[in-house]
Amino acid sequence: MSSRRKTLAVLAVAGLALAGCSSSGGTSNSTSGSGSGGASGETITVGSIHPLTGALAGAGQLMQDATEMAAADINAAGGIKGLSGAQLKIASGDSQGKAETGQSEAQRLTQSGAVALVGTYQSDVTKNVASVAERSQVPLVIDVAVDDSILAQGYKYSFRIQPNATGMGTSGADDLAGIGEQGGSPIKTVSYIHIQGAFGDSVFTAFKKEAEAKGITIAKEVAYDSGSLNDAATQVAQAAAPKPDAIVVTGYYPDSLLIAKSIAALKPDVKAVYGIANGGFDDDSFPGAAGAAGNGLLSANYHYDATSARVKDIRTRFEAKYGKPMETAAMLSYQAVEVVAAGLDKSGSKDPKKLRDAISALELSDPLLAFDGPIKFDETGQNTNATVIVMQIQGGKVEQVYPQKFKTVDLKFPAKPGAS
Amino acid sequence: MRGLGLAGVVLVLLALVYLLGDKSAALVNQAVVTGTLLGGVYALVSMGLTLIFGVLGIVNFAQGTMLTLSMYAAYVLVTSLGLNVYLATLLLVPLLFGLGYLVQLLLLNRLMSEGETEGQLLVTLGLSLLIANGLLLAFGGQPKSITAPVGGNLRFLGAVASVPRVIAFVGAIVLALALTAVLQRTRLGLSIRAVAANGQGAAMVGVNVKRVFAVTFGLGAACVGAAGGLVLPFFSLTPSTGEQFTILAFVIVVLGGLGSVTGAVLGGLAIGLLQTVGGLFVPGTGALLLVFAVFVVVLFVRPQGLFGSDL
């Protein structure tokens, strides 16, 4: 009996370890696509792949809702004009947060007639979906997925609106240096706490290169494993030990919350705590969750443009309709559907190959995110004008503070962590 | 005795870290404090599992999601009824006990009589999916958290310990003592130990084995009931929050010895310390690999676990 239990235990541990702690989902919302139709009153199907079940389902569902809302808005405004008012229809796929499921969902959607795909929120899922898009010659407009390597394959059918990891690390370093200069208190040394893996490593590497070029030295690098971070005090103590001018943090929401709370407890003597591509610091629910520990936190990230009237309108209607604030990830999903629609309009065809050519030549002004210019893709499919802006938690709210042209309130710097 | 032995090994290792580790004492102090408090959390989650595993032989894959369920229940009690989270914890213990009792009585007991283990495994796995997706449906996936009714930090030797974590640690010790008292000093505990030792024999002398099974699963669930309320003040809550503990809890339970409450507590502390102090020397996932390496070594040297057959 006992040895049998032991075997079971070992099997259980091995099985769970293999499953990688990820919760697996139940149902997959599926709407089968309809690629064919008459000339007038035609429906064009766009596939949307997001994690609708599993650990990331909250964000995934918002992103799915945003694609539906974008399609509805476009249809209400007369549909795709280049295709005599054809209506958009979203066919949704559930990646369950898993790369292989995302891939099979992409196959299902393209085979059932989707002319383009949007998604997927996670880099590893997006990598697999991009390979399907390439093979089936159906364009993929990436809403959120930061890893550089997705577009480094020489793919012709994948496009990304947001900055990649290297872009975020690089402009994150530029902005940090800029903030120090502007505040008259230059940053000379930083400690960097980041999640282990492609995401954290690539942002850190890019930051390090650019920071060193600007005369900022990395005093300490602390990498942590997201799956087993239950208390960040040790990581923060390690980062604080060399007494840096700033602590930089790259990670997901729960990790960032633990880190912010530990920083508030340990009170290291730094001028700023600064997130780059951070999944928590500029999330609208973060100030409430962190309380005093959130005050003054800076975050360099891509972000919806809070100074734009069009963005304000979309966010207001989204919140009224779905009862939840529209985060940046959902705004990117909305934008991705707009990119597909603009491509369809321009090509005047629902042939995926012609759509691909049209998207690659697009120049979409008035982007929904705070970017340096119109959305415009280079030969790798990366939006050349994608940048990060810097936000800060002030008075319990996430405000845009840097650079000047996107600011909603004045930057507070130096910003002691946890100080009110 | 074995507890002293393990404590001795841990102390010697710590002394080596302080003397030869080439890390500042303040940093190691922080790691020790963090690891000890983290160990308390691990112990909370593992105690229930060790009972269910040791007495019933059920691999409860749902232990982690039951923790999540209890955290959400605490969240609702705090945000909707305005209860103090620690008061809510007291309510959760009987609530989760009832839930565990019913799960065993209505679902698992039917499978136990057939003497197969695969069915139970699937039932608990199914239960875990059901709870996780049910929570997702009801609450969505956005992280939620509460403000702890007591905040602040305790400081000693340059290290910082947040008060809610200290409370959770004390809660773990109290729960372990209470559970040990129930098992060692009460009639119920006697029947549980009898069933664990020899189910058929216990049945022959008039113990209602199925009832004991249900009560044991209930006690196991009650432990995560207490854990959920105690850890909510410092974890952000999503429908998959508890799942990360399932693997470690299995490691701790096998390490400590099936059915041993003392083993679960000391195993939890050892793993917590290994993860944080070890984390000073190996970055990121390395700390977790260290934990699994120790697990494999212990299985090899002492397959019954450190406190095996201690019930």
Side-chain angles (χ1 to χ4, degrees), chain B residues 69-82:
Chain B
L69 181 69
S70 135
M71 287 174 78
Y72 270 102
Y75 176 81
V76 169
L77 289 173
V78 170
T79 51
S80 307
L81 302 181

Side-chain angles (χ1 to χ4, degrees), chain B residues 241-311:
Chain B
T241 299
E243 280 162 38
Q244 55 173 320
F245 294 106
T246 310
I247 297 179
L248 281 175
F250 274 114
V251 169
I252 289 163
V253 163
V254 175
L255 200 64
L258 306 183
S260 165
V261 174
T262 324
V265 173
L266 292 176
L269 287 176
I271 295 295
L273 281 170
L274 189 62
Q275 212 184 332
T276 54
V277 180
L280 291 178
F281 299 94
V282 285
T285 31
L288 212 56
L289 286 181
L290 219 57
V291 168
F292 286 114
V294 168
F295 177 58
V296 170
V297 168
V298 169
L299 272 187
F300 192 68
V301 177
R302 209 183 139 75
Q304 72 272 42
L306 297 169
F307 294 82
S309 70
D310 218 356
L311 196 76

Side-chain angles (χ1 to χ4, degrees), chain B residues 60-162:
Chain B
N60 185 20
F61 271 114
Q63 194 76 3
T65 38
M66 276 161 51
L67 173 70
T68 322
L69 181 69
S70 135
M71 287 174 78
Y72 270 102
Y75 176 81
V76 169
L77 289 173
V78 170
T79 51
S80 307
L81 302 181
L83 279 187
N84 179 299
V85 68
Y86 297 112
L87 201 64
T89 307
L90 293 180
L91 287 177
L92 284 174
V93 172
L95 265 176
L96 265 284
F97 176 87
L99 177 78
Y101 188 93
L102 289 178
V103 165
Q104 179 67 34
L105 199 69
L106 302 178
L107 288 175
L108 292 165
N109 265 351
R110 291 159 195 262
L111 297 163
M112 306 281 292
S113 51
E114 286 149 34
E116 44 143 331
T117 38
E118 294 79 5
Q120 303 156 7
L121 216 93
L122 292 176
V123 167
T124 59
L125 193 62
L127 194 65
S128 126
L129 290 176
L130 192 72
I131 295 175
N133 285 296
L135 289 173
L136 194 59
L137 205 66
F139 295 95
Q142 289 296 96
K144 299 192 184 310
S145 50
I146 61 159
T147 316
V150 283
N153 297 285
L154 302 179
R155 293 178 167 269
F156 43 94
L157 300 171
V160 168
S162 82

Side-chain angles (χ1 to χ4, degrees), chain B residues 8-240:
Chain B
V9 170
V10 169
L11 285 179
V12 168
L13 286 176
L14 279 179
L16 285 176
V17 168
Y18 275 105
L19 292 173
L20 308 173
D22 189 31
K23 301 277 168 193
S24 81
L27 205 54
V28 185
N29 286 342
Q30 183 63 54
V32 169
V33 168
T34 309
T36 309
L37 294 181
L38 194 57
V41 174
Y42 291 163
L44 275 173
V45 187
S46 310
M47 265 185 265
L49 191 67
T50 203
L51 269 189
I52 294 171
F53 207 0
V55 176
L56 307 173
I58 291 178
V59 177
N60 185 20
F61 271 114
Q63 194 76 3
T65 38
M66 276 161 51
L67 173 70
T68 322
L69 181 69
S70 135
M71 287 174 78
Y72 270 102
Y75 176 81
V76 169
L77 289 173
V78 170
T79 51
S80 307
L81 302 181
L83 279 187
N84 179 299
V85 68
Y86 297 112
L87 201 64
T89 307
L90 293 180
L91 287 177
L92 284 174
V93 172
L95 265 176
L96 265 284
F97 176 87
L99 177 78
Y101 188 93
L102 289 178
V103 165
Q104 179 67 34
L105 199 69
L106 302 178
L107 288 175
L108 292 165
N109 265 351
R110 291 159 195 262
L111 297 163
M112 306 281 292
S113 51
E114 286 149 34
E116 44 143 331
T117 38
E118 294 79 5
Q120 303 156 7
L121 216 93
L122 292 176
V123 167
T124 59
L125 193 62
L127 194 65
S128 126
L129 290 176
L130 192 72
I131 295 175
N133 285 296
L135 289 173
L136 194 59
L137 205 66
F139 295 95
Q142 289 296 96
K144 299 192 184 310
S145 50
I146 61 159
T147 316
V150 283
N153 297 285
L154 302 179
R155 293 178 167 269
F156 43 94
L157 300 171
V160 168
S162 82
V163 172
R165 281 182 190 267
V166 175
I167 293 177
F169 182 81
V170 173
I173 302 299
V174 169
L175 192 67
L177 291 175
L179 212 51
T180 311
V182 167
L183 287 175
Q184 302 295 340
R185 300 280 161 85
T186 65
R187 247 192 107 70
L188 173 68
L190 187 66
S191 5
I192 291 177
R193 283 183 290 144
V195 169
N198 185 340
Q200 278 185 335
M204 276 173 29
V205 295
V207 174
N208 183 342
V209 174
K210 292 209 159 179
R211 203 182 135 259
V212 169
F213 280 170
V215 169
T216 309
F217 202 96
L219 282 177
C223 290
V224 288
L230 288 170
V231 304
L232 183 60
F234 48 85
F235 281 139
S236 51
L237 180 54
T238 65
S240 59

